[in-house]
Each structure stands twice: as C-alpha cells, then as structure tokens.
C-alpha cells in the first residue's frame, strides 16, 4: 500500500447488512484484526484531510466575507445615488422619515459610522450632507422659514401689505406663521 491510502476491501462496518468482499454472510465472519486495520486507515485519511478541509473552510469564509463586503458596497452606492437624486429633487439632503424611511435610516447610519472611509465622507459632503443632527434641524427650520417667506411675498404682491389674517383660508399655514 502507498502511504496515506487504505485497502478499501477492509472499509466496511460490522453491521448485519454489511458483506465482506467475497463473502455472502451477514457480517459475522469479519474478524477483529480487520476492524483495527479499518480504524487505523480511517484515522489516517481523516488526519491527512483535515488541513485541506480547514483550508477549504478558510477559503469559503473568505469568499463569503468578500461577497458580503461587495453587497454592502453595492447597497451603499445605491443609497448614495438615492440621496443624490433626492437632493436634485428637493434641493437638500434632509430626508424625513415620513418621506423615505429607508433613506432616512441610511443617513442616520452614516452619521453613526466610525469606520467610514475618507472618500465616502468626501462624497457625502460634496452633495451637502449634514453630519450633525442639530445642523439638520437648523437647516429644516431655515428651509421652512424661507418657504413661508416666499408665501408672504406672494401675499404682499396680491394684497399690498403683510398683515395676514390668522384664519387666512387661501393659505392656512401662512396665517399661522
């Protein structure tokens, strides 16, 4: 026999349904010496194959990790593109949860990220991303104020003054503002 190989004629188990090569018995003819040879041979196969199995497992683990990393990058890119599109439509990167829950949650995760690459940070900043919640809150207030100021300007053009009744039916928000 070559080193690391086992005589396969000895690889059977002592079970009633096992038949030794060349015998037609129910397995009672198998002697104990054959059992020892089988155990030694199996141990040899198992011990020699374990490093290869571990290498295969390591490759599978690395492959899975790489696949996960690629998927995360694709998801980040998709979310970044969604934010860019939002910015084009809305003029800012302030996404309320009621507007787009997924994008809002992604933005929150970006703010909390401690492992974000410098290039991703720069990309977010290049489209006006606000890193601070309080800066976002101020920006929201400023945006609302600017919006209402535009309403007031239209009111003045129409009525010649800025004294808007509290219950102004044509623009209830302006009346309250």
């Amino acid at each position: 026999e070559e080193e690391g190989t086992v005589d396969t004629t000895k690889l059977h188990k002592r079970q009633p349904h096992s038949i030794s090569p060349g015998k037609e018995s129910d397995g009672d003819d198998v002697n104990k010496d054959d059992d020892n040879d089988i155990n030694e041979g199996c141990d040899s196969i198992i011990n020699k194959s374990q490093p290869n199995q571990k290498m295969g497992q390591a490759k599978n683990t690395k492959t899975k990790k790489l696949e996960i990393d690629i998927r995360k990058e694709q998801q980040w890119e998709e979310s970044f593109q969604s934010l860019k599109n939002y910015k084009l439509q809305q003029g800012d990167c302030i996404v309320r949860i009621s507007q787009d829950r997924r994008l809002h949650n992604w933005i929150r995760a970006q703010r909390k990220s401690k492992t974000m690459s410098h290039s991703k940070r720069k990309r977010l900043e290049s489209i006006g991303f606000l890193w601070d919640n309080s800066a976002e809150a101020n920006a929201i207030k400023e945006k609302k104020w600017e919006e209402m100021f535009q309403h007031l300007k239209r009111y003045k053009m129409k009525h010649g003054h800025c004294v808007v009744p509290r219950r102004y039916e044509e623009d209830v928000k302006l009346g309250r503002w």
Side-chain angles (χ1 to χ4, degrees):
E1 279 180 49
E2 291 179 36
E3 187 179 324
T5 62
V6 176
D7 181 2
T8 55
T9 60
K10 296 178 182 179
L11 290 178
H12 62 278
K13 296 184 180 188
R14 288 184 58 121
Q15 296 177 4
H17 61 276
S18 298
I19 299 175
S20 299
K23 307 221 179 200
E24 294 184 50
S25 72
D26 62 359
D28 291 336
D29 307 342
V30 179
N31 65 39
K32 293 194 190 253
D33 290 339
D34 283 349
D35 282 347
N36 289 336
D37 289 347
I38 291 169
N39 289 339
E40 288 173 19
C42 289
D43 288 344
S44 173
I45 291 171
I46 291 169
N47 290 337
K48 288 183 179 183
S49 67
Q50 281 178 346
N52 291 337
Q53 287 174 348
K54 287 179 182 174
M55 279 181 50
Q57 289 171 348
K59 282 184 181 178
N60 283 341
T61 302
K62 286 181 181 178
T63 302
K64 286 178 184 175
K65 185 178 180 338
L66 182 61
E67 289 171 355
I68 290 168
D69 289 347
I70 290 170
R71 236 177 311 160
K72 283 181 180 179
E73 283 301 313
Q74 288 171 337
Q75 290 170 344
W76 193 93
E77 284 299 326
E78 288 171 10
S79 296
F80 180 73
Q81 289 304 318
S82 293
L83 183 58
K84 277 177 63 174
N85 291 337
Y86 181 89
K87 165 88 184 237
L88 287 172
Q89 293 171 359
Q90 302 297 321
D92 60 44
C93 295
I94 302 166
V95 181
R96 292 178 194 84
I97 199 164
S98 61
Q99 293 171 309
D100 187 332
R101 179 180 297 273
R102 188 190 63 76
L103 188 55
H104 175 84
N105 289 337
W106 181 80
I107 289 169
R108 288 181 58 202
Q110 301 318 294
R111 286 189 179 123
K112 292 178 182 178
S113 176
K114 302 219 185 299
T115 59
M116 184 182 298
S117 69
H118 181 72
S119 63
K120 284 182 180 177
R121 280 186 161 289
K122 289 295 178 194
R123 289 178 68 196
L124 285 167
E125 289 168 1
S126 75
I127 62 169
F129 185 81
L130 300 171
W131 291 101
D132 187 323
N133 284 342
S134 61
E136 181 177 332
N138 289 337
I140 289 170
K141 288 176 186 175
E142 190 174 311
K143 182 179 177 182
K144 285 181 180 179
W145 188 91
E146 193 60 43
E147 181 183 323
M148 294 312 296
F149 183 66
Q150 294 304 317
H151 286 242
L152 182 60
K153 284 168 72 176
R154 284 193 296 273
Y155 180 88
K156 183 176 182 189
M157 296 260 310
K158 184 175 181 179
H159 299 284
H161 60 84
C162 294
V163 183
V164 181
R166 261 194 192 279
R167 295 178 190 247
Y168 182 54
E169 291 180 19
E170 288 180 42
D171 191 341
V172 177
K173 287 182 182 178
L174 182 60
R176 279 190 242 139
W177 186 64

